[in-house]
């Protein structure tokens, strides 16, 4: 077996689910694996009663290309970002 993608996550509050550590092999040219991992995180977040996925991003980040929106800037220059979990 070969690992071609991974994404970690956990609930941080009653309505927020943090995603982090996205890894996808270079073979995912069309972002099929990336989208599947985000969709799986959305399903898990819904199952746990959360309304948003969130993470911490740097200036250029793959999560923004997936629809995460930057919110406030942290003191270290990185940003919080959020993605709605729709019903």
């Amino acid at each position: 077996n070969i690992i071609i993608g991974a994404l970690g996550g956990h609930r941080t509050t009653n309505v927020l689910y943090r995603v982090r550590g996205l890894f996808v092999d270079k073979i995912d040219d069309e972002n099929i694996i990336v989208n599947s991992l985000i969709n799986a995180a959305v399903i898990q977040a819904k199952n746990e009663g959360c309304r948003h996925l969130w993470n911490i991003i740097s200036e250029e980040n793959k999560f923004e290309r997936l629809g995460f929106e930057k919110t406030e800037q942290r003191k270290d220059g990185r940003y919080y970002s959020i993605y709605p979990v729709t019903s």
Side-chain angles (χ1 to χ4, degrees), residues 19-32:
V19 291
R20 60 186 299 178
L22 177 63
F23 162 79
V24 178
D25 196 291
K26 293 177 184 175
I27 62 167
D28 191 32
D29 293 334
E30 297 177 16
N31 289 325
I32 294 168

Side-chain angles (χ1 to χ4, degrees), residues 22-78:
L22 177 63
F23 162 79
V24 178
D25 196 291
K26 293 177 184 175
I27 62 167
D28 191 32
D29 293 334
E30 297 177 16
N31 289 325
I32 294 168
I33 298 166
V34 170
N35 290 332
S36 295
L37 290 169
I38 293 296
N39 287 336
V42 166
I43 291 167
Q44 185 62 37
K46 282 182 187 179
N47 289 342
E48 295 191 32
C50 296
R51 291 188 217 141
H52 291 90
L53 301 180
W54 73 276
N55 68 1
I56 299 170
I57 62 172
S58 56
E59 196 60 42
E60 282 266 333
N61 191 280
K62 56 191 155 249
F63 286 102
E64 280 188 287
R65 292 190 299 270
L66 297 170
F68 281 76
E69 293 183 27
K70 281 184 190 176
T71 58
E72 67 183 271
Q73 187 171 16
R74 296 164 35 111
K75 290 181 183 177
D76 63 5
R78 298 183 298 169

